[in-house]
Amino acid sequence: MLSHVPDQPVQHSGASSSRDGDAGAPSPGVRVPVRVPGSAPDITIPLSLLPSDGRFGSGPSKVRPDAVDALAAVARSYMGTSHRQAGVRSIVGRLRAGLRSLFSLPDDYEIVLGNGGTTVFWDAAVFGLIERKSQHLSFGEFSSKFASAVAAAPHLDAPDVIDAPPGTHPLPAAREGVDVYALTHNETSTGVMMDVRRPDGAAPESLVAVDATSGAGGLRVDPEEFDCYYFAPQKCFGADGGLWVALCSPAAVERIERISASDRWIPASIDLKTALDNSRLDQTYNTPALATLFLLATQVDWMLEGGGLEFAAGRCDHSAENLYGWAEASSYATPFVAKPDERSRVVGTIDLDPAVDAGTVCQVLRANGVVDTDSYRKLGRNQLRIAMFPAIEPEDIIALTRCIDFVADALS
Ligand SMILES: *Cc1c(COP(=O)(O)O)cnc(C)c1O
């Protein structure tokens, strides 16, 4: 199981640690984090229980070592070269073609990209996608943030916000005057996923815009059910942040073009029409992070080589079965999301019995090189949050549950 010990992002610095072994010895110049004494109980997880890779964060998330190696291999001819020239543009072209194939997009859908990640895309949508009024399903930190951005915009009507408590999701409701229905495929803060479906009875000219930042590439979706499916690369696409990508239907493109031609003032850096025009030329309006583009294109190719979205989603299904199956059988762990079909297959949230402090479990895991299993802070629960993105080995989820059991046992 431990064929990839060197991939451990944090090497245990204890003198007694045998796991550093030959393979994992820190190379010169690599700073090894030193554990502050007293920061976590001194519990050493046996080597045989550890996952092959210790990264379980929900974003930024595990980047496959092969993707980093591929980047290193082209670094001298690719990094530090112009994004207006053929080299970088061919990567963007490969990325756009790959996404079209991965999501089985109809020919008339377009792939638009720009800088700034999903949070910046929300501002772009406030200016260039929402005509007057949007409806938002608000059921966690991320879905509520987009609604707040809209509420603050003086040129739009107050948004229609439908709330649901953390751990559940609301459903959209067709309402007159709503021209964008804003859904979230996977609420990363709570581990709730929902199906992407057009609201029954919605006006034909209204758009469905889906924040798929943590769902895209790990959950199945039918392009007929959305007009704009947008995401950033640091989650299921196992790349780095700072970029947004939007899969746009002809209706979304028409909306972008119409608003752009109106007299609404739009800041140039978040102008969707400018982004659309540049994307059609396999470019971005301003300088993109070339490493991010490369890692994203490489991950899309990896998914396609494996068999496409079904392959990637299948890996997430497998991981989710491993995680929730363990929690349901456990005496001290329980899936946070009550309804099994709303339990996310890409980000799992697991409540622990009050007798087992989740914060301490996370600290011990971190000291052993298993990182970023902490729950979303503002949720304030005794909870672990575990990413199950396609890059994460389903077997590593099993290994993680064994590590958690070991730590919980050692703490009791
Ligand atoms: C991570 C995340 C975001 C924020 O993405 P950034 O690229 O950091 O702006 C937004 N929505 C969801 C659902 C997310 O998971």
Side-chain angles (χ1 to χ4, degrees):
M1 196 191 300
L2 265 166
S3 53
H4 295 102
V5 178
D7 295 342
Q8 294 287 331
V10 179
Q11 298 288 341
H12 194 292
S13 57
S16 63
S17 173
S18 57
R19 107 175 35 99
D20 284 350
D22 48 356
S27 31
V30 173
R31 286 188 53 189
V32 174
V34 176
R35 209 176 70 219
V36 181
S39 65
D42 197 0
I43 297 168
T44 300
I45 301 173
L47 207 59
S48 60
L49 295 184
L50 287 173
S52 69
D53 194 296
R55 292 170 289 181
F56 294 97
S58 299
S61 66
K62 176 183 170 186
V63 179
R64 287 180 311 108
D66 283 355
V68 177
D69 290 349
L71 176 61
V74 300
R76 278 165 183 266
S77 58
Y78 173 76
M79 294 299 292
T81 70
S82 170
H83 62 297
R84 307 284 178 216
Q85 296 298 326
V88 175
R89 287 171 69 179
S90 74
I91 297 294
V92 177
R94 192 179 106 198
L95 168 63
R96 293 175 71 233
L99 287 171
R100 178 174 298 285
S101 167
L102 185 68
F103 289 100
S104 309
L105 292 184
D107 287 346
D108 52 3
Y109 278 48
E110 296 205 53
I111 293 147
V112 186
L113 63 158
N115 287 318
T118 295
T119 306
V120 170
F121 182 81
W122 289 329
D123 290 331
V126 161
F127 277 97
L129 198 64
I130 302 170
E131 191 121 42
R132 282 219 68 84
K133 189 181 176 77
S134 50
Q135 178 180 95
H136 300 258
L137 302 188
S138 173
F139 54 111
E141 177 69 11
F142 293 108
S143 48
S144 69
K145 265 190 172 163
F146 185 21
S148 305
V150 171
H155 62 281
L156 298 177
D157 290 355
D160 182 21
V161 180
I162 305 179
D163 289 296
T168 67
H169 71 75
L171 288 171
R175 287 198 185 135
E176 210 170 290
V178 168
D179 57 74
V180 167
Y181 289 89
L183 314 183
T184 301
H185 204 173
N186 184 72
E187 179 43 84
T188 320
S189 65
T190 61
V192 171
M193 65 175 187
M194 64 177 291
D195 288 340
V196 171
R197 210 171 296 137
R198 292 184 185 277
D200 286 337
E205 63 279 9
S206 63
L207 303 179
V208 171
V210 185
D211 177 355
T213 307
S214 58
L219 301 178
R220 295 163 186 83
V221 69
D222 174 1
E224 300 294 342
E225 299 291 338
F226 64 72
D227 295 294
C228 180
Y229 188 77
Y230 59 91
F231 51 89
Q234 72 273 23
K235 309 210 177 168
C236 287
F237 289 103
D240 216 347
L243 193 77
W244 58 259
V245 177
L247 315 179
C248 295
S249 74
V253 169
E254 192 270 337
R255 176 77 63 89
I256 288 167
E257 290 180 331
R258 187 151 42 83
I259 293 178
S260 161
S262 74
D263 55 11
R264 180 184 290 177
W265 174 71
I266 302 177
S269 65
I270 51 170
D271 185 333
L272 290 175
K273 176 66 165 72
T274 302
L276 177 65
D277 291 344
N278 278 278
S279 300
R280 285 171 174 164
L281 300 172
D282 291 333
Q283 297 188 43
T284 49
Y285 175 59
N286 66 314
T287 314
L290 302 192
T292 303
L293 280 173
F294 184 89
L295 291 172
L296 171 55
T298 302
Q299 183 75 347
V300 170
D301 285 350
W302 173 75
M303 289 177 178
L304 289 171
E305 279 158 22
L309 192 56
E310 194 49 46
F311 155 76
R315 283 174 66 86
C316 301
D317 292 347
H318 189 176
S319 289
E321 278 162 27
N322 292 342
L323 183 72
Y324 298 125
W326 160 77
E328 290 199 306
S330 164
S331 60
Y332 67 95
T334 325
F336 167 52
V337 177
K339 289 191 187 163
D341 64 345
E342 295 181 355
R343 284 177 196 155
S344 170
R345 297 188 190 152
V346 283
V347 175
T349 44
I350 304 293
D351 280 346
L352 300 187
D353 185 279
V356 183
D357 181 63
T360 307
V361 171
C362 292
Q363 276 186 325
V364 172
L365 289 172
R366 178 173 293 277
N368 283 272
V370 177
V371 304
D372 301 339
T373 53
D374 316 68
S375 74
Y376 200 78
R377 281 157 294 122
K378 291 187 198 160
L379 208 54
R381 298 185 70 90
N382 191 43
Q383 184 176 93
L384 304 175
R385 184 174 61 144
I386 294 153
M388 301 178 286
F389 297 140
I392 291 168
E393 296 300 331
E395 290 298 313
D396 275 353
I397 296 291
I398 297 181
L400 172 62
T401 63
R402 293 192 179 131
C403 291
I404 297 168
D405 282 343
F406 181 86
V407 174
D409 191 52
L411 288 172
S412 66

